[in-house]
């Protein structure tokens, strides 16, 4: 029983990693007043760029850099539409998702001729798991040894980075001057502008951070969690990250807990494949695949209460003239 729980928690950490990156990305963006439906597109675009570059150069780190560049580029397009031209945030985000979904498949077919996939990544082209010191020796130790060897040890560097980013984000948002200005821009941009601070500059910086984090999420999917790019491999994780962001009410630690919850539901769904339920029989694969999304909707609808986002979110800022 305990071993099964450890395996479930281990799977939860792996599945939650892209959700954590993407949800924190959305936190920076929406705290600055920018609605970012385009998280899904940035994750997918960075996953393709990372896998393609890793396949060509044979280095996961080069792939990661290309993935981040692709994601930041998409974030700047979103910023150009929403900040510079004061366009509709939802329309811009949906456009990015739609374009990236088609562009990644088209480019992969043109460059690699593998039906919308990239070549399988091996060796240094992937982020490999890290084994902690004495993990093998402690595996036989009850409880503590199993937690150390099978839960904490054996993940790749991006998994650990995702969890490190939560306290880093908390510190940036609540303990730095940039974080104070970021929150102020999301609440009352006119007051920030009156203080002589550029609202647009703060929002663009928030979107750059958002792009970097989405780049990490996408690169994780294609060069760490999987061994290459697959069509639509983001599988709605950007939307689930937005749900986690709302569930966590735009605060880093509750957002982390929401991502872990959604990841746990996904891990449970995987474990239920092939399980025979008395009176029902074997659970259909389709029901298993849709379970995490249905539970996400139910949790959002019934348990978070009224979630109030930043006051200026989604509103185009027009500078007042003297």
């Amino acid at each position: 029983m305990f071993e099964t729980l450890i395996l479930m928690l281990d799977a939860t950490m792996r599945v939650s990693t892209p959700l954590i990156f993407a949800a924190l990305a959305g936190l920076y963006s929406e705290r600055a007043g920018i609605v970012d439906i385009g998280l899904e597109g940035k994750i997918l675009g960075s996953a393709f760029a990372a896998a393609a570059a890793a396949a060509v150069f044979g280095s996961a780190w080069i792939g990661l850099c290309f993935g981040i560049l692709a994601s930041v580029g998409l974030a700047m397009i979103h910023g150009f539409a929403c900040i510079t031209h004061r366009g509709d945030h939802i329309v811009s985000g949906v456009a990015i998702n739609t374009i990236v979904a088609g562009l990644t498949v088209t480019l992969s077919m043109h460059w690699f001729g593998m039906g919308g996939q990239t070549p399988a990544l091996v060796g240094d082209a992937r982020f490999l798991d890290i084994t902690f010191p004495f993990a093998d020796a402690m595996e036989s130790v009850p409880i503590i040894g199993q937690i150390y060897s099978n839960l904490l040890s054996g993940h790749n560097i991006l998994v650990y980075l995702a969890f490190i980013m939560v306290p880093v984000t908390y510190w940036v948002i609540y303990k730095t001057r940039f974080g104070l200005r970021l929150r102020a821009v999301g609440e009352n941009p006119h007051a920030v502008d009156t203080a002589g601070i550029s609202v647009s500059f703060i929002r663009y910086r928030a979107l750059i951070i958002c792009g970097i984090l989405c780049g990490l999420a996408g690169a994780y999917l294609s060069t760490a969690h999987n061994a290459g790019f697959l069509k639509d491999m983001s599988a709605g994780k950007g939307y689930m990250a937005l749900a986690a962001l709302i569930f966590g009410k735009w605060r880093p630690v509750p957002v982390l807990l929401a991502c872990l919850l959604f990841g746990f539901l996904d891990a449970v769904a995987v474990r239920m494949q092939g399980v025979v339920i008395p009176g029902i029989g074997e659970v259909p694969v389709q029901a298993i695949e849709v379970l995490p999304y249905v539970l996400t909707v139910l949790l959002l609808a019934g348990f978070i209460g009224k979630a109030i986002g930043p006051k200026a979110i989604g509103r185009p800022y027009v500078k007042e003239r003297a």
Side-chain angles (χ1 to χ4, degrees), residues 10-22 42-43 46-51 60 63-65 67-68 121 125-129 154-163 212-229 233 237:
D10 177 77
T12 298
M13 289 180 64
R14 296 177 188 272
V15 174
S16 299
T17 295
L19 297 179
I20 295 170
F21 278 131
K42 287 194 278 289
I43 294 172
S46 62
F48 170 73
L64 176 62
C65 292
I68 291 175
L121 304 178
R126 292 191 65 194
F127 287 102
L128 303 178
D129 293 341
H155 300 284
N156 63 75
I157 191 171
L158 295 182
V159 175
Y160 300 116
L161 181 60
F163 285 87
I212 292 172
L213 291 172
C214 282
L216 291 169
Y220 170 81
L221 285 178
S222 61
T223 62
H225 193 62
N226 297 283
F229 176 81
M233 72 181 308
K237 287 181 173 57

Side-chain angles (χ1 to χ4, degrees), residues 39-130:
L39 293 177
E40 179 78 7
K42 287 194 278 289
I43 294 172
L44 187 62
S46 62
F48 170 73
V56 171
F57 295 102
S59 170
W61 290 103
I62 293 179
L64 176 62
C65 292
F66 273 84
I68 291 175
L69 286 175
S71 181
V72 171
L74 292 170
M76 291 299 94
I77 293 174
H78 186 54
F80 184 71
C82 299
I83 301 172
T84 303
H85 290 282
R86 298 189 289 274
D88 188 278
H89 299 197
I90 303 296
V91 172
S92 174
V94 171
I96 288 174
N97 293 343
T98 305
I99 292 171
V100 171
L103 189 61
T104 51
V105 175
T106 302
L107 290 177
S108 61
M109 292 180 66
H110 179 69
W111 290 345
F112 303 107
M114 299 179 63
Q117 303 179 16
T118 59
L121 304 178
V122 295
D124 292 338
R126 292 191 65 194
F127 287 102
L128 303 178
D129 293 341
I130 299 172

Side-chain angles (χ1 to χ4, degrees), residues 106-278:
T106 302
L107 290 177
S108 61
M109 292 180 66
H110 179 69
W111 290 345
F112 303 107
M114 299 179 63
Q117 303 179 16
T118 59
L121 304 178
V122 295
D124 292 338
R126 292 191 65 194
F127 287 102
L128 303 178
D129 293 341
I130 299 172
T131 302
F132 286 180
F134 310 110
D136 295 335
M138 291 188 63
E139 190 172 1
S140 59
V141 178
I143 303 179
I144 296 178
Q146 293 179 357
I147 293 175
Y148 180 77
S149 302
N150 299 325
L151 180 59
L152 300 180
S153 177
H155 300 284
N156 63 75
I157 191 171
L158 295 182
V159 175
Y160 300 116
L161 181 60
F163 285 87
I164 291 172
M165 284 306 302
V166 176
V168 170
T169 296
Y170 179 89
W171 177 76
V172 170
I173 294 295
Y174 294 107
K175 303 296 181 180
T176 66
R177 180 182 298 177
F178 170 73
L180 175 62
R181 292 176 175 178
L182 183 75
R183 287 181 286 129
V185 164
E187 295 291 339
N188 192 343
H190 292 288
V192 175
D193 185 52
T194 302
I197 301 169
S198 173
V199 173
S200 296
F201 183 53
I202 294 293
R203 287 182 168 177
Y204 268 112
R205 288 165 69 185
L207 285 180
I208 290 173
I209 297 174
C210 173
I212 292 172
L213 291 172
C214 282
L216 291 169
Y220 170 81
L221 285 178
S222 61
T223 62
H225 193 62
N226 297 283
F229 176 81
L230 301 172
K231 178 183 177 183
D232 295 329
M233 72 181 308
S234 53
K237 287 181 173 57
Y239 301 115
M240 291 186 70
L242 279 176
L245 181 62
I246 298 170
F247 191 85
K249 298 183 178 180
W250 294 270
R251 292 176 294 175
V253 175
V255 165
L256 168 65
L257 298 178
C259 290
L260 290 175
L261 175 60
F262 295 162
F264 181 76
L265 295 176
D266 203 350
V268 168
V270 173
R271 295 285 295 184
M272 285 183 64
Q273 292 186 12
V275 173
V276 178
I277 299 177

Side-chain angles (χ1 to χ4, degrees), residues 190 193-194 317-322:
H190 292 288
D193 185 52
T194 302
Y317 174 68
V318 180
K319 188 172 183 179
E320 295 180 345
R321 296 182 179 180

